DNA sequence: CGAGACCTAAACAAAG
DNA sequence: TCTTTGTTTAGGTCTC
């Protein structure tokens, strides 16, 4: 299907401008790896990425990076950072937060604009009235009406966008959207202003009057950072439910992260103040301009107010959607949220990761609402690349199931390649079923159901799945009544993967490859739908003693991390030792029949009678203990 | 540098 | 005959 083309998108950005050494390398490593580098003949390379590859210009990107990436990160090599690298640095959740922030900012800028126009109209009215110009009152009234309608429309538009983005999930960029996801809104706006709303194009007129051009606004809207002047009022919003929003906290932090030598409102040689595209040769000039043209005055103040409103609106919207999501999840048998995940040890480890200089705390601070940091992945994967790899903290790496559980929504919606190996995913898929067995097709389905990436990238992964199934001994094919099904031989599985280092390079690599800018875009979208991650954080993780070992089936992957062994010093041979896990549940190359008999019955190992609940939970419980054992 | 794990690509064969 | 499912082989990358 068409999907195919879209598929490879991710790797499309082989860009990995080898700037950040290994990281970029890894970027194409897995997915692009062979193909990308050596192209192994196939020349498949697929650059497509029409959708995901936001096509953000390098300049924009740089701008983006400078403003959004935590200082330390940015300093690593600002000019070298590619979207991918950025994504390497930021965990999916972080990206989400980031994107959320950006969207909010953009919206707010738009609002400011509108406000501005409105003020102008008022002015116009006043002057005209004073001048005694008998301008037909009606006309003026119409104008104002038109503006109000536009405001309404705009608000609706915003909300719609939010919703759309939320629901689209998969949708990345429309081909014609020149740069980045954030263009979406701005692009719509001009229309709104010029076309739709006002009969007599009043909007456009007034816009021109001030020499402003909404199109320009659209362009400037890409300026992500919060205008300093504006940030104050935004800094401490809380959701109706009292939860601080990621949005705001991030914004706060970002305002402090300004890159020296740059200004959030200055980019591409022009003033990024909403609606102002004044060209400024250098920062100095810009500052001057800023102080003169955008000084603290009524207008600015008004803009701040508008921003506040926008933010509040967004927050309300967010809260609503979160609620809805929770309800949906609850309905779909996922536990209702309650952000407990943060009490997990993982959190600690996450914090631990900062020293690497790869991630910054601010984000984690925003935790409550959006568990931004997937315990395992968040940090683990981040490190994968560089020095971090070495970290001995195995606790870091959480089992795939937990990782998955926590980022379930994310992967489901974002076109991000999951940082797991095919083998671990397959295994996960199989273990998630009551019978612990799946047909190939069911496995496919699981993949597509769980990961947006696989929904879009149909092309090769199926082959890879089959390949993995056949290749790894841990996957046992069993002839079933209804055909052949695949099961997992835990013992083999454990054996199979001699503990690699903790960071799991490939995973990271995978993740990275999956994180092309397009992915980022997707993440952005996903971010919106993301507010209630916690839901997924299966409580199971917290269950310490729960049914632990019945089926220690797993420590999964995410790289090989979890290890049973006393994690202490050497991070080397982590999970190698299956022995400790007396598990080996089932299977094991046996005659299909035998297998069959066994499997269907009590779901193998019937891990925990009590802790019913979704398979995921089961798994989590199974795994965690393992980790803790160590 | 070699070993291993992983990944993608692709050729083939057997079934349905 | 076409598609799906499985198996194998080959060539690459990356980390240890």
């Amino acid at each position: 299907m068409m999907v195919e083309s879209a598929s490879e998108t991710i790797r499309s950005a082989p860009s990995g401008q080898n700037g950040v050494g290994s990281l970029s390398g890894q970027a194409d490593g897995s997915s692009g790896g062979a193909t990308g580098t050596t192209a192994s003949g196939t020349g498949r390379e697929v650059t497509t990425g029409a959708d995901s590859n936001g096509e953000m210009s390098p300049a924009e990107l740089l701008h983006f990076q400078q403003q959004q990436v935590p200082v330390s990160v940015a300093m690593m090599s600002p000019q070298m950072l590619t979207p991918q690298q950025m994504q390497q640095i930021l965990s999916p959740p972080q990206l989400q937060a980031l994107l959320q922030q950006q969207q909010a900012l953009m919206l707010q800028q738009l609002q400011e604009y509108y406000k501005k126009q409105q003020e102008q109209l008022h002015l116009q009215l006043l002057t005209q009235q004073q001048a005694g110009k008998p301008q037909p009152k009606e006309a003026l009234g119409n104008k104002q009406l038109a503006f109000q309608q536009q405001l309404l429309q705009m608000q609706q538009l915003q909300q719609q966008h939010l919703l759309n983005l939320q629901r689209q999930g998969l949708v990345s960029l429309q081909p014609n959207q020149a740069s980045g996801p954030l263009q979406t809104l701005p692009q719509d706006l001009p229309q709104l202003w010029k076309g739709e709303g006002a009969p007599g194009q009043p909007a456009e007129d007034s816009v021109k009057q001030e020499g402003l051009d909404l199109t320009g606004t659209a362009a400037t809207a890409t300026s992500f950072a919060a205008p300093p002047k504006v940030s104050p009022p935004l800094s401490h919003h809380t959701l109706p439910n009292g939860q601080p929003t990621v949005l705001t906290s991030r914004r706060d932090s970002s305002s402090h992260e300004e890159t020296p030598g740059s200004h959030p409102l200055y980019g591409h040689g022009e003033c990024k103040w909403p609606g102002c595209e004044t060209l400024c040769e250098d920062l100095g000039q810009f500052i001057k301009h800023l102080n003169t043209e955008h000084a603290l005055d009524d207008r600015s103040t008004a803009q701040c107010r508008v921003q506040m409103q926008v933010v509040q609106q967004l927050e309300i919207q967010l809260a609503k959607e979160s609620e809805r999501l929770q309800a949906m999840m609850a309905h779909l048998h996922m536990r209702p949220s309650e952000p407990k995940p943060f009490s997990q040890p993982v959190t600690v480890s996450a914090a631990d990761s900062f020293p690497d200089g790869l991630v910054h705390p601010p984000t984690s601070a925003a935790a409550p609402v959006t568990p931004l940091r997937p315990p395992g992945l968040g940090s683990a994967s981040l490190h994968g690349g560089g020095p971090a790899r070495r970290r001995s903290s195995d606790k870091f790496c959480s089992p795939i199931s937990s990782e998955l559980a926590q980022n379930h929504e994310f992967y489901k919606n974002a076109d991000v390649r999951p940082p797991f190996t095919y083998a671990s995913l397959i295994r996960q898929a199989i273990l998630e079923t009551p019978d612990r067995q799946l047909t190939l097709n069911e496995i496919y389905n699981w993949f597509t159901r769980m990961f947006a990436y696989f929904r879009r990238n149909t092309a090769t992964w199926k082959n890879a799945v089959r390949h993995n199934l056949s290749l790894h001994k841990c996957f046992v094919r069993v002839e079933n009544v209804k055909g052949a099904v695949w099961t997992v031989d835990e013992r083999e599985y454990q054996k199979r993967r001699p503990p690699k280092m903790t960071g799991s390079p490939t995973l990271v690599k995978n993740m990275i490859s999956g994180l092309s800018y397009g992915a980022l875009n997707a993440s952005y979208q996903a971010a919106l739908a993301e507010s209630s991650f916690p839901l997924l954080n299966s409580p199971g993780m917290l269950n310490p003693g729960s049914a632990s070992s019945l089926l220690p089936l797993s420590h999964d992957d995410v790289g090989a991390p979890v290890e049973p062994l006393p994690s202490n010093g050497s991070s080397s041979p982590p999970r190698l030792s299956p022995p400790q896990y007396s598990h080996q549940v089932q299977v094991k190359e046996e005659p299909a029949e035998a297998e069959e008999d066994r499997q269907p019955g009590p779901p193998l190992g019937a891990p925990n009678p009590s802790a019913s609940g979704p398979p995921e939970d089961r798994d989590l419980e199974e795994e965690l203990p393992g980790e803790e054992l160590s």
Side-chain angles (χ1 to χ4, degrees):
Chain A
M1 309 234 305
M2 42 193 196
V3 181
E4 323 227 325
S5 64
S7 72
E8 323 289 19
T9 58
I10 290 184
R11 86 179 58 163
S12 58
S15 49
Q17 311 173 355
N18 308 322
V20 185
S22 61
L23 286 181
S24 63
Q26 293 178 328
D28 17 42
S30 70
S31 51
T35 25
T37 316
T38 351
S40 69
T42 50
R44 205 91 173 296
E45 196 83 0
V46 193
T47 23
T48 39
D51 55 341
S52 50
N53 261 353
E55 258 101 64
M56 187 180 227
S57 75
E60 284 173 331
L61 216 131
L62 180 57
H63 186 55
F64 174 96
Q65 293 162 349
Q66 288 177 333
Q67 300 190 8
Q68 298 302 319
V69 179
V71 182
S72 63
V73 174
M75 298 212 321
M76 285 167 60
S77 57
Q79 67 286 47
M80 301 299 257
L81 285 176
T82 66
Q84 293 169 307
Q85 289 159 355
M86 246 193 60
Q87 291 173 4
Q88 293 170 34
I89 291 165
L90 302 174
S91 67
Q94 285 178 309
L95 286 172
Q96 292 164 14
L98 207 151
L99 291 166
Q100 278 184 331
Q101 171 194 2
Q102 290 165 6
Q103 204 220 14
L105 286 171
M106 205 172 63
L107 291 178
Q108 113 197 349
Q109 288 179 339
L110 294 178
Q111 281 284 13
E112 288 170 26
Y113 235 137
Y114 172 74
K115 184 76 179 176
K116 227 190 245 176
Q117 303 312 322
Q118 208 172 25
E119 287 172 17
Q120 293 223 327
L121 181 61
H122 280 300
L123 274 178
Q124 203 179 343
L125 282 171
L126 285 177
T127 48
Q128 286 175 343
Q129 284 174 351
Q130 287 174 350
K133 275 192 179 179
Q135 170 128 43
K137 205 172 183 178
E138 225 178 273
L140 292 176
N142 284 341
K143 274 191 179 181
Q144 209 159 7
L145 205 68
F147 269 123
Q148 286 176 346
Q149 288 177 339
Q150 286 168 0
L151 176 58
L152 273 178
Q153 285 180 345
M154 191 147 84
Q155 290 175 339
Q156 288 174 347
L157 192 71
Q158 290 169 355
Q159 296 199 344
Q160 259 179 357
H161 260 288
L162 281 176
L163 293 174
N164 285 340
L165 293 176
Q166 273 181 327
R167 287 161 190 160
Q168 284 170 6
L170 317 175
V171 180
S172 290
L173 271 189
Q174 260 78 54
N176 60 347
Q177 287 179 314
S179 52
L182 299 176
Q183 291 294 341
T184 330
L185 244 175
Q187 280 192 343
D188 290 343
L189 198 65
Q191 266 191 348
L192 189 149
W193 279 93
K194 294 180 180 174
E196 302 182 1
Q201 302 175 310
E204 196 174 5
D205 290 343
S206 60
V207 167
K208 282 176 182 170
Q209 281 184 15
E210 209 191 18
L212 297 177
D213 175 46
L214 274 178
T215 315
T217 315
T220 49
T222 25
S223 155
F224 306 113
K229 281 186 201 166
V230 179
S231 50
L234 301 174
S235 50
H236 42 288
H237 280 299
T238 51
L239 284 176
N241 60 11
Q243 291 174 311
T245 60
V246 176
L247 213 86
T248 50
S249 57
R250 281 293 287 174
R251 186 177 295 118
D252 271 344
S253 57
S254 72
S255 63
H256 298 303
E257 291 166 358
E258 227 167 282
T259 313
S262 71
H263 190 290
L265 287 173
Y266 179 62
H268 300 93
E270 59 183 41
C271 172
K272 297 286 186 182
W273 186 275
C276 174
E277 288 183 290
T278 305
L279 295 175
C280 303
E281 289 185 276
D282 55 33
L283 194 63
Q285 192 181 330
F286 162 74
I287 297 293
K288 200 185 266 178
H289 160 80
L290 192 62
N291 290 329
T292 56
E293 300 298 314
H294 308 297
L296 177 62
D297 56 15
D298 290 347
R299 194 168 65 181
S300 301
T301 314
Q303 290 174 333
C304 284
R305 288 202 203 95
V306 173
Q307 281 180 312
M308 288 173 68
Q309 289 173 1
V310 172
V311 171
Q312 284 177 340
Q313 206 176 359
L314 286 172
E315 286 173 343
I316 291 170
Q317 178 70 25
L318 180 63
K320 278 184 191 165
E321 294 301 323
S322 293
E323 214 171 300
R324 182 185 307 184
L325 177 60
Q326 290 186 20
M328 289 167 69
M329 293 177 140
H331 172 66
L332 297 178
H333 77 218
M334 295 171 164
R335 308 272 173 81
S337 67
E338 258 131 25
K340 35 173 119 184
F342 297 89
S343 54
Q344 295 170 30
V346 190
T347 311
V348 178
S349 52
D352 226 0
S353 68
F354 300 139
D356 288 24
L358 292 177
V359 188
H360 276 273
T363 320
S364 60
V369 176
T370 6
L372 296 182
R373 184 169 307 273
L377 179 95
S379 41
S381 55
L382 285 176
H383 304 313
R389 192 192 333 143
R390 263 259 153 249
R391 15 180 55 272
S392 55
S393 57
D394 325 346
K395 319 173 176 179
F396 253 154
C397 315
S398 65
I400 182 176
S401 50
S402 60
E403 205 308 272
L404 245 184
Q406 293 188 43
N407 292 294
H408 173 273
E409 257 331 280
F410 177 75
Y411 293 122
K412 207 168 177 177
N413 297 311
D415 186 12
V416 175
R417 187 191 179 107
F420 311 106
T421 60
Y422 281 113
S424 59
L425 286 173
I426 295 170
R427 172 176 161 279
Q428 182 64 23
I430 294 173
L431 295 184
E432 274 189 15
T433 64
D435 303 2
R436 308 226 165 206
Q437 56 176 35
L438 285 176
T439 62
L440 179 63
N441 198 44
E442 288 170 334
I443 294 176
Y444 287 161
N445 292 335
W446 184 87
F447 270 68
T448 51
R449 193 174 64 243
M450 302 295 284
F451 305 94
Y453 176 83
F454 293 121
R455 278 196 288 277
R456 308 173 130 266
N457 310 310
T458 351
T460 63
W461 66 265
K462 285 186 177 177
N463 183 26
V465 167
R466 290 196 304 276
H467 166 74
N468 272 267
L469 285 170
S470 308
L471 191 66
H472 301 304
K473 287 181 203 154
C474 59
F475 297 119
V476 184
R477 184 169 173 281
V478 178
E479 283 298 334
N480 207 346
V481 195
K482 57 177 181 180
V485 294
W486 290 92
T487 60
V488 179
D489 179 338
E490 271 313 308
R491 195 203 289 156
E492 278 300 322
Y493 183 81
Q494 302 298 336
K495 212 193 284 183
R496 175 174 78 68
R497 356 186 30 293
K500 251 188 149 172
M501 69 295 121
T502 52
S504 166
T506 33
L507 297 179
V508 174
K509 159 171 63 174
N510 294 341
M511 181 177 95
I512 289 164
S513 66
L515 284 172
S516 65
Y517 190 69
L520 191 135
N521 172 35
S523 333
Y524 162 67
Q525 298 173 4
L528 298 176
E530 201 44 91
S531 48
S532 34
F533 250 0
L535 305 189
L536 296 163
N537 291 327
S538 48
M541 296 200 61
L542 296 178
N543 289 353
S546 65
S548 38
S549 35
L550 275 199
L551 257 190
L553 310 155
S554 44
H555 325 286
D556 269 275
D557 246 271
V558 180
V562 183
E563 27 214 279
L565 296 181
S567 58
N568 46 22
S570 59
S571 56
S572 26
R575 42 168 59 223
L576 197 44
S577 48
Q580 303 188 330
Y581 304 95
S582 51
H583 50 316
Q584 38 242 33
V585 192
Q586 67 249 41
V587 195
K588 193 21 189 185
E589 308 276 4
E590 16 189 312
E593 269 92 7
E595 185 85 312
E596 201 177 86
D597 295 340
R598 191 179 303 180
Q599 307 246 343
L604 290 170
N608 56 4
S610 54
S612 52
E616 293 163 49
D617 291 340
R618 193 190 316 153
D619 227 353
L620 292 176
E621 287 168 0
E622 292 161 3
E623 295 177 9
L624 256 194
E627 286 177 61
E628 291 174 357
L629 282 181
S630 54

